[in-house]
Amino acid sequence: MKKKFLISFLILIVCHTLLAQDKNDSGNSASCVEFSNIFNNIKTLCDKDNGKLWGVNLYTPILCINKKRDLWSNQKDSQGQLQACGEVFIGKFPVNKNIANSTINVFGQQWVMIALPIPVGVINRNILFCHEIFHYWQDFLGHVPRAYNNIHMDAKDARILLKLEWNAFLSACKTTDSSLRKIAICDALTFRKQRQQKFSKYYSDETAFEIQEGLAQYTGIKLSVSSDSMYLHILDKEMESYAKKENLVRSFAYFSGAIMGYLLDQSTSEWRKQIDGNSDLGYLIQKAYGVVIPTDKEKHIQQRKALYDYNNIVRFENQRDSIQTIKKKQLTKLFTQDIKKLPLKNMQISFDPNSIIPLENIGNIYKSVRIVDDWGILESKSNGFILITEDWKYVILPFANSIKTNNNVEETESWKLQLKADNK
């Protein structure tokens, strides 16, 4: 009797195991089908364009990676580490690599990397994928930009002039009257030139960021929509979002590039053939539309700014500036006392571009950041942050007086550092 019970019990365990495995296999299969559909959709968009935009079919090797480091790819890797799952390939992403929307060399080749989860909605998803696959080709296209650090975009005056520029450009996008469009473009370029002259030290940083990320966002939208009206609808929604953004230092170019790219497409200029890493999209617009910028820019701005929501922009920026001033005083104290410094030598970094706070003459503060370097892996905690110096030579960690150590792990309420054994 006991023997029969034991056999029955073992059979029951095996059945549960097989059911669980079937369930797991079913889930994997479902995921593989889902990603196969996504990849096929992106390929269809690229094949439809087939080089019209940039002279090359933009479809590339893609990795989609979740927080558990499970990955799905649209092709087999050159080292044979990924396993076939229907029409896609699956595997595990290395722990010593950061997950981000970017490009990466792994498994013996270059890939586009997409961090999961992906945006809700087909168009938003397509824009993200097409944005990232454009980055894969930028070196090939000769768009290699300079290094950039647009900390001036945290200054109130720069942000006001930038938002006036955006509103004027958006007005130009929406009108079908060529003379009104030219007037609005002239207004936008006047706001732009005034800002670039006032913050002349950062002129090349601005334009480099617009080439690097602005053109990627333009390409993402361009491939993902089928009409000008859809493109304009996206610009409208983005303008609403960017008008309320607290931080623009590492995000403004996404919108600037998308809106200027649209206007350049409405001209007769073959502007995409003129682009390189030193290009200024604003200058290309000025040339394409034959715009003459007023000599007395300040007078022109005073006469025209009310047309572009100036009062609401200033109200928002004054309030933000007063809050930021207090916050920066507190952060300056935090990152100059009781700190730990780590050298940056072979850094890989992923971070939230919408949460950067610049501290003048010290560096930039990052939240939701993960850094891999020779010493190990550093991650900020949910509400924590770290600072990277302006010269990108050091990462500075706060609360060094409250570090708790456990084997190779150091951590505080703000960050966690997994040290390599030889760096302990």
Side-chain angles (χ1 to χ4, degrees):
M1 202 56 188
K2 286 182 180 177
K3 188 175 180 182
K4 284 185 179 179
F5 176 79
L6 183 60
I7 291 170
S8 298
F9 182 70
L10 289 171
I11 290 171
L12 188 62
I13 291 174
V14 171
C15 288
H16 274 295
T17 303
L18 290 172
L19 282 170
Q21 186 176 328
D22 286 344
K23 221 172 184 183
N24 194 45
D25 289 346
S26 173
N28 283 339
S29 298
S31 296
C32 291
V33 170
E34 177 188 354
F35 282 103
S36 177
N37 291 335
I38 290 171
F39 293 144
N40 285 334
N41 180 49
I42 300 303
K43 187 175 188 305
T44 298
L45 294 177
C46 292
D47 287 347
K48 183 179 177 182
D49 171 72
N50 201 29
K52 289 188 203 121
L53 275 184
W54 298 107
V56 62
N57 188 310
L58 296 172
Y59 196 58
T60 59
I62 303 170
L63 298 176
C64 293
I65 311 164
N66 66 18
K67 291 180 180 178
K68 295 179 180 178
R69 297 186 171 263
D70 302 316
L71 68 83
W72 294 260
S73 87
N74 62 337
Q75 69 171 53
K76 188 176 181 179
D77 64 299
S78 62
Q79 295 178 341
Q81 295 190 45
L82 306 182
Q83 304 299 313
C85 179
E87 295 182 354
V88 303
F89 293 83
I90 60 175
K92 277 287 186 180
F93 192 65
V95 72
N96 65 340
K97 302 287 186 182
N98 282 331
I99 302 170
N101 294 322
S102 184
T103 57
I104 189 168
N105 196 302
V106 69
F107 305 124
Q109 67 184 83
Q110 193 79 359
W111 304 81
V112 165
M113 175 170 48
I114 303 292
L116 300 176
I118 53 179
V120 176
V122 174
I123 290 180
N124 288 335
R125 181 190 73 200
N126 289 346
I127 290 172
L128 169 63
F129 274 78
C130 293
H131 173 115
E132 297 305 332
I133 65 176
F134 178 71
H135 283 312
Y136 185 95
W137 293 100
Q138 279 186 299
D139 285 1
F140 171 81
L141 294 170
H143 296 183
V144 185
R146 324 165 197 83
Y148 49 82
N149 182 14
N150 290 286
I151 59 172
H152 66 301
M153 284 301 185
D154 201 56
K156 181 175 72 172
D157 289 351
R159 288 170 58 96
I160 289 171
L161 287 165
L162 176 66
K163 290 181 177 181
L164 288 171
E165 174 191 331
W166 283 344
N167 282 338
F169 273 143
L170 191 57
S171 178
C173 289
K174 290 180 176 181
T175 183
T176 56
D177 185 304
S178 59
S179 60
L180 292 178
R181 172 170 285 174
K182 189 171 179 178
I183 290 170
I185 288 173
C186 179
D187 292 338
L189 291 175
T190 304
F191 299 134
R192 181 180 175 86
K193 283 291 183 185
Q194 183 78 343
R195 181 188 65 253
Q196 289 176 341
Q197 286 183 1
K198 185 165 186 175
F199 299 92
S200 58
K201 176 182 174 182
Y202 299 99
Y203 169 75
S204 62
D205 296 270
E206 272 195 30
T207 56
F209 190 25
E210 288 168 346
I211 295 301
Q212 176 75 3
E213 294 295 349
L215 288 185
Q217 188 67 0
Y218 154 79
T219 302
I221 300 172
K222 190 77 174 176
L223 291 183
S224 302
V225 301
S226 57
S227 66
D228 285 351
S229 61
M230 290 178 69
Y231 197 116
L232 288 172
H233 176 70
I234 290 170
L235 289 182
D236 264 337
K237 298 298 288 183
E238 287 294 286
M239 186 68 239
E240 288 178 24
S241 172
Y242 275 88
K244 300 170 187 173
K245 277 188 185 289
E246 291 292 328
N247 298 291
L248 296 173
V249 171
R250 284 300 297 259
S251 64
F252 75 90
Y254 289 74
F255 188 61
S256 291
I259 201 166
M260 285 191 282
Y262 178 88
L263 283 170
L264 283 164
D265 279 350
Q266 303 305 305
S267 73
T268 57
S269 170
E270 293 187 345
W271 66 277
R272 287 187 295 272
K273 295 179 180 178
Q274 304 171 39
I275 295 289
D276 62 26
N278 297 309
S279 296
D280 177 348
L281 296 179
Y283 174 73
L284 292 179
I285 288 179
Q286 182 181 352
K287 189 167 69 169
Y289 285 92
V291 171
V292 178
I293 296 174
T295 304
D296 191 342
K297 291 188 293 297
E298 185 59 45
K299 180 179 179 182
H300 185 88
I301 288 170
Q302 293 303 320
Q303 292 173 342
R304 304 288 295 174
K305 64 185 183 182
L307 297 172
Y308 302 108
D309 203 28
Y310 174 77
N311 289 335
N312 285 329
I313 291 172
V314 168
R315 191 177 298 115
F316 177 91
E317 293 302 329
N318 280 339
Q319 183 178 12
R320 176 192 176 275
D321 194 54
S322 61
I323 295 170
Q324 289 293 101
T325 299
I326 296 170
K327 187 186 292 185
K328 285 185 178 183
K329 284 182 180 178
Q330 296 169 340
L331 290 171
T332 298
K333 182 178 179 181
L334 182 65
F335 282 99
T336 51
Q337 300 177 14
D338 298 320
I339 58 172
K340 178 183 178 78
K341 291 177 74 173
L342 294 171
L344 295 172
K345 296 179 180 178
N346 297 297
M347 178 184 65
Q348 300 173 48
I349 183 170
S350 61
F351 58 89
D352 176 6
N354 294 308
S355 62
I356 295 172
I357 303 172
L359 295 182
E360 194 169 357
N361 299 321
I362 301 175
N364 291 328
I365 293 172
Y366 295 81
K367 297 176 74 174
S368 303
V369 64
R370 185 177 191 265
I371 298 174
V372 178
D373 210 311
D374 293 349
W375 30 256
I377 300 172
L378 171 68
E379 295 178 276
S380 63
K381 294 187 176 179
S382 56
N383 293 314
F385 33 73
I386 60 94
L387 181 142
I388 296 177
T389 55
E390 288 183 347
D391 58 10
W392 287 83
K393 289 184 177 179
Y394 294 94
V395 56
I396 298 178
L397 308 178
F399 309 119
N401 58 342
S402 61
I403 295 174
K404 294 179 181 177
T405 304
N406 182 14
N407 293 324
N408 287 345
V409 176
E410 294 182 358
E411 62 182 313
T412 68
E413 62 186 35
S414 183
W415 50 267
K416 179 179 179 180
L417 174 61
Q418 176 74 52
L419 290 165
K420 287 184 180 177
D422 57 354
N423 279 282
K424 187 180 176 183

